[in-house]
Amino acid sequence: MTSTLDPTSATPPTSDPRKTGKRLMNRRPNEPLSLFFARIALPLLLVLLIVVFSVAAPETFATVDNLKTVLNLQAVLTILAIGLLLPLIVGELDLSVAANLGLGLILVTGLTSQQGVPAVPAIIIAVAACTAVGLINGLLVSKAGINSFIVTIGMSTILTGLIGAYTLGNVFYENIPKELTELGQGNLLGIPLPVLAAAAIGLILWYILSQTPAGRFLYAIGGSRDAARLSGIAVPRLTIGAFAGAGALAGIAGVIQAGILGSGSPTVGPPMLLPAYAAVFLGATAFIPGTFNVWGTIVAVITLQVGTTGLALIGAPFWIEPLFTGTALIAAVAATRLLRGEAT
């Protein structure tokens, strides 16, 4: 069933998603100026923020080390937000992705440090468990017909309880295997591995969504579930797959976050939910206005991190980050609805 909380998640793309990444920064024939500027507004905002903070804090912001820090800090959030795109594209909500990330993090650190499971099997088990959570979400939404908001907020609460039962509130930090920490803290040609992982996942999902029939079917389901079903699209199966995909990517994000931290804390996952939603809705204002898309999401994640990092470096108080992120989410949802109306 389609989410009733936000109709913006159930509208088809305003342009062919296969053309995403082609001529994104060029004005298209007969395209209204308002939509052209909407497509490029977010990248321009990112450039503006970089220029402003580089001038305001040249010795701390405009450095290669700070660039690596910004990208590395948001690699995990990028993976989580990209996964969140899948249920949103088919018109559903998944409020359990952040808790699911926490599950992946706790499982991989707990299995290795407490049960002595080798790193690779522990990673596979953690990602499989998170995928199973997504699969259950999809079955309850698609087969049982329960509203996705209810299913996923309930699942988030269940996962929080299971994590608490497993950890008893403790942080796993002893006997974390080197293979896991290298995954989160290693570099390849000077580029942090989490950044490379996020980039690879972004490219793969972009290809699936814009270059394959499965991607077009997912957008069609979000546009009109009934019309998609009448067209012969396997709506239940693809909806289940969208939730399972979101779960798998949440698990991967959790494993990488465990490697970055070198420990497993039961409180890590849930705070990422709001920034992830802020990123996907802010990203829906760019490139294909009014449509959830991979490139917009990635640019949005970087823009939010550049904003919060820059404000911190010029001495803004600690409460600026949640204020900035919350404001961005509200503005992004409003802009997405407005742009979608203009596009149609």
Side-chain angles (χ1 to χ4, degrees):
M1 61 184 291
T2 302
S3 169
T4 58
L5 288 180
D6 190 348
T8 64
S9 64
T11 305
T14 56
S15 62
D16 188 346
R18 290 172 294 181
K19 297 179 181 178
T20 306
K22 299 178 181 178
R23 301 184 294 114
L24 287 177
M25 304 303 288
N26 297 327
R27 188 180 176 191
R28 295 161 184 164
N30 302 318
E31 179 182 30
L33 274 175
S34 60
L35 286 180
F36 169 67
F37 285 117
R39 287 196 295 110
I40 67 173
L42 184 60
L44 289 178
L45 174 61
L46 175 58
V47 172
L48 178 62
L49 288 174
I50 291 173
V51 171
V52 169
F53 290 130
S54 295
V55 172
E59 296 182 358
T60 53
F61 184 86
T63 65
V64 174
D65 287 342
N66 185 58
L67 173 62
K68 289 182 179 180
T69 299
V70 168
L71 294 177
N72 202 37
L73 282 174
Q74 292 307 299
V76 170
L77 181 61
T78 298
I79 296 171
L80 185 68
I82 289 173
L84 186 58
L85 284 173
L86 293 171
L88 286 172
I89 285 172
V90 298
E92 303 291 356
L93 292 172
D94 189 346
L95 301 178
S96 68
V97 289
N100 210 4
L101 180 153
L103 176 67
L105 179 144
I106 288 299
L107 280 177
V108 75
T109 53
L111 289 172
T112 54
S113 67
Q114 305 299 305
Q115 279 74 52
V117 178
V120 173
I123 290 172
I124 294 172
I125 292 170
V127 174
C130 294
T131 304
V133 169
L135 183 63
I136 292 170
N137 285 338
L139 288 170
L140 290 174
V141 170
S142 187
K143 296 297 186 179
I146 306 174
N147 183 278
S148 60
F149 174 82
I150 301 299
V151 168
T152 58
I153 200 170
M155 181 61 74
S156 178
T157 305
I158 291 170
L159 293 178
T160 300
L162 291 175
I163 290 170
Y166 182 54
T167 64
L168 298 178
N170 297 316
V171 176
F172 299 142
Y173 60 89
E174 296 181 338
N175 303 318
I176 302 297
K178 184 179 179 181
E179 296 90 340
L180 183 59
T181 55
E182 286 181 345
L183 179 63
Q185 301 171 18
N187 293 272
L188 180 63
L189 301 177
I191 303 174
L193 290 180
V195 175
L196 292 175
I201 290 170
L203 283 170
I204 291 170
L205 198 63
W206 165 79
Y207 181 83
I208 292 172
L209 291 176
S210 63
Q211 305 294 320
T212 69
R216 294 191 291 275
F217 294 161
L218 290 173
Y219 278 110
I221 292 169
S224 173
R225 191 169 298 268
D226 291 337
R229 186 180 293 108
L230 291 173
S231 299
I233 295 174
V235 174
R237 185 174 63 189
L238 287 170
T239 301
I240 293 169
F243 277 102
L249 291 178
I252 293 172
V255 168
I256 294 175
Q257 183 71 357
I260 292 173
L261 298 175
S263 63
S265 170
T267 62
V268 168
M272 292 189 179
L273 184 63
L274 176 59
Y277 267 93
V280 293
F281 276 97
L282 185 60
T285 66
F287 300 137
I288 311 176
T291 300
F292 297 115
N293 66 90
V294 171
W295 299 125
T297 298
I298 293 173
V299 172
V301 170
I302 298 172
T303 301
L304 291 172
Q305 182 59 42
V306 165
T308 54
T309 300
L311 289 169
L313 290 176
I314 63 175
F318 70 92
W319 45 262
I320 281 294
E321 180 174 356
L323 180 65
F324 183 78
T325 303
T327 302
L329 175 58
I330 295 172
V333 172
T336 301
R337 292 170 64 90
L338 177 63
L339 291 170
R340 186 160 282 154
E342 289 188 9
T344 56

